[in-house]
Amino acid sequence: MTEGAECPGDPGAGAGALWDALRALLPRTKEELELELGSGVQGAVRLLLRQATELFYGDRLSECLQASEAILDYAWERLNTGPWQDVDKDWRRVYTFGCLLKALCLCRAPCEASAAAKALRVCDLGLLMGAAILGDILAQAAAVLQAHLPSAQRPARDPSQQPPSPKRARREHASVPDVEQERAVPRLHRPSLQHFREQFLVPERPVVLEGVADHWPCMKKWSLEYIQEVAGCRTVPVEVGSRYTDEAWSQTLMTVDDFISRHIVSQASGVGYLAQHQLFDQIPELKRDIGIPDYCCLGDGEEDEITVNAWFGPQGTVSPLHQDPQQNFLVQVMGRKYIRLYSPRDSEALYPHQTHLLHNTSQVDVEQPDLEKFPMFTEAPFLSCVLSPGETLFIPAKYWHYVRALDLSFSVSFWWS
Amino acid sequence: MWIRRLQLLGGQRLAVSHQWLICKKLLRFQLYPWVPATPAGWQPAEGAAGHGRRATRGLVRLRFLWLRTGAGLRARAPGAGRVELSGSTSGVADDCRDAWASEGLLMLIRSRTDSGTELQAWAPDSALRREPLWTQKLALESEVEDKARDEPGTGSLPLLPCACAYVSPQPPFCRPLAPELRARRLELGAEHVLLLCAAGQVFSWGGGRHGQLGHGTLEAELEPRLLEALQGLPMAEVAAGGWHSLCVSEIGDIYIWGWNESGQLALPARSLAEDKKTFTEEGLNGDGSEVNRTARAEDGASAPFVAIQPFPALLDLPLGSDVIKASCGSRHTAVVTRTGELYTWGWGKYGQLGHKDGTSVDQPCRVEYFVEKQLQVKTVTCGPWNTYVYAVEKEKS
């Protein structure tokens, strides 16, 4: 992304203001920057963190940069050892600490054009893999950096690429399934809490809820332009490849602008999907555009325990048939999705993978099943729907679901218990 | 006449040491970040001065230590069996038969006439004073001791001399091994274990999410499982990196598997290709498609990137050289050929590849330093982020 390579006006001024704003986020004295860490983090690492802090407050920033690189590399190795859920949270906090120092050190250099963008990317990696420290200071640093970045050039957008109207979609071969022929997920308009609990939550039945999320600001505000404006320069994880069960599937990091250029405006780089990412923790401005479905209060957990994920991608992204351990509200914001639901009672007919890694995923390609390999699959009953903007789908815990985007699509999911 | 020399390579450009030390079976660690190791002068065991005699059992052997953090551990063997700690802590332990260190623990095998032979786990902060964190008596039959003396390299930590157990940096510190395995050599990765048995077969177990077990899946294994892909090929060496594994056959072939995120398998790595692009580069063609990011094989055909290699792959060195020794760091690999050359590849950010810079490479590259200085490399051992080499001057005819 070749942004303006020259600093506007006086090269020193912009960088100076940025540095001041970032420096102001940090405590005045180095003692206040100390992290409280448990015994999982060895004394030698704590020594390194102290050394890095001293270098920073001693204004020896090139050395501090090297020290923070070592902190990041060391913590990265700990984050990649063992299953993610078993990683000691302290290592994630150490990682965030390293990102914070590195981002600040990068911004000290007088007017390196890409310094702010590099620093923002470092912050985003810390937000992605780290854990909040010092009152979520990394998110604040990211906001400061984002405000200081020159507005990115918008990648050339093909004006003829409008989301296909339903009529046009039907003309395309096999694009929209004929849901009239399939058993439909029931639809209700704003049922009462009690009705929802008695008829759907407790008996574990899916339902499409209308009139619940359709007034959220995102429904009117969100568009490609708006997303680029609010989040374009932020780094996000993107899944590349048609579906996560494919061999060629991989995950990579790129800015939202890059994602839109490579995988939405043009699909010459193959299918890319910004999937299952807690975008709203990373970019609080977007969080203000969404709400939380009222029915979540029927669960046992606290509101801050609800996992909110963004699902943003072009037409054609597929989530293979799988189940999740928690209750799910899937809110559709942009575009439409074709969704099929199978009951956990029929799990056997869905041939889940035997491996531990994929035991929650079916081996069957729902819309093109290999019936020789998976003969029982045709017998399995299912419900289906086309979820349109403003609608909310309730997917009970462990309910198998298959999702394909019929248009450029943005969904928000709420995992709750 | 063999001459042992200490060599220091490279400058202070990079944070963690990338200095090459040449000393026999003795590892030096640099204090993080910039203090160079003082020239060692390896002290031969008594009676061995000036001769190429192998170390006697009194010599302490240290594997990797945590040089990249503040505390360094330096080993010296001024006399038989002494381990000295220096760096952010200092301490001394005598009567050591073997030593092994990990991130949070120093393991010693100590033999004292009064208390017998004992396995001791020490916290680094303890400076080897007062009591160890944990001890366990070891019953060592004399024949096992003799074996250890004659074949240094067999039964060394983390494998216990009796070959019936191994040490682990996490509790339980001492873990049993089935005697039927007849373990000859054992190596620990970040989340897996590799074992070479007396018959030259390789076993692996532990976490497998990065393919480091070599059984063709990403599943973990709770018990040692034979690498069937290598059955029938007798192996001479095994080496475990953070998330990758390597073994060397008796005829000098390398088999390698596991995670390739920094090119440590010498297979095309996506991250290396991406790092070649500068940060602000567009990276897009005119029609919006990505610049072709597949790797290029030598013959020009495009080879796909490999992130994980879940079963052993044969690796050929340039010129088809035979390999006699191999070692893996956290994310890099080093091998020594029969002709005395050193090849390294993988993560190079801290200079651990010895190519005088901080780039990572995803194919075997010869370390030219030894060629230029006319040194014959004998063996190599990798720390997590650095590499230790033993080399001697080529005999002048």
Side-chain angles (χ1 to χ4, degrees), chain A residues 261-284:
Chain A
S261 313
R262 295 180 200 176
H263 296 289
I264 300 215
V265 166
S266 139
Q267 289 198 35
S269 304
V271 174
Y273 197 8
L274 206 182
Q276 199 174 325
H277 175 53
Q278 295 177 279
L279 187 67
F280 309 99
D281 289 342
Q282 184 186 8
I283 304 171

Side-chain angles (χ1 to χ4, degrees), chain A residues 1-2 44 47-48 66-67 69-70 73-74 76-77 80-82 114 121 261-262 266 268-269 355-357, chain B residues 13 32 66 68-70 103 190-191 209 219 243 259 279-281 284 287 289-290 330-331 349-350 385:
Chain A
M1 176 111 345
T2 41
L47 183 65
L48 179 56
Q66 288 186 310
E69 291 273 7
D73 287 324
Y74 195 86
W76 184 91
E77 293 196 354
N80 279 279
T81 301
S114 59
R121 184 186 159 91
S261 313
R262 295 180 200 176
S266 139
S269 304
T355 64
H356 176 73
L357 213 61
Chain B
R13 188 169 63 83
Y32 176 86
W66 20 296
R68 57 196 162 199
T69 59
E103 316 307 330
E191 40 185 29
R209 295 167 328 119
E219 301 288 294
W243 299 269
W259 205 10
F279 187 80
T280 55
E281 213 175 278
L284 291 181
D287 65 356
S289 64
E290 276 183 19
S330 185
R331 297 153 67 185
K349 180 170 173 182
Y350 292 96
W385 292 5

Side-chain angles (χ1 to χ4, degrees), chain B residues 97-119:
Chain B
R97 298 189 37 164
D98 200 354
W100 181 84
S102 72
E103 316 307 330
L105 216 61
L106 176 62
M107 284 286 189
L108 298 174
I109 295 182
R110 298 173 82 173
S111 274
R112 282 186 276 218
T113 41
D114 55 340
S115 49
T117 306
E118 203 173 57
L119 180 63

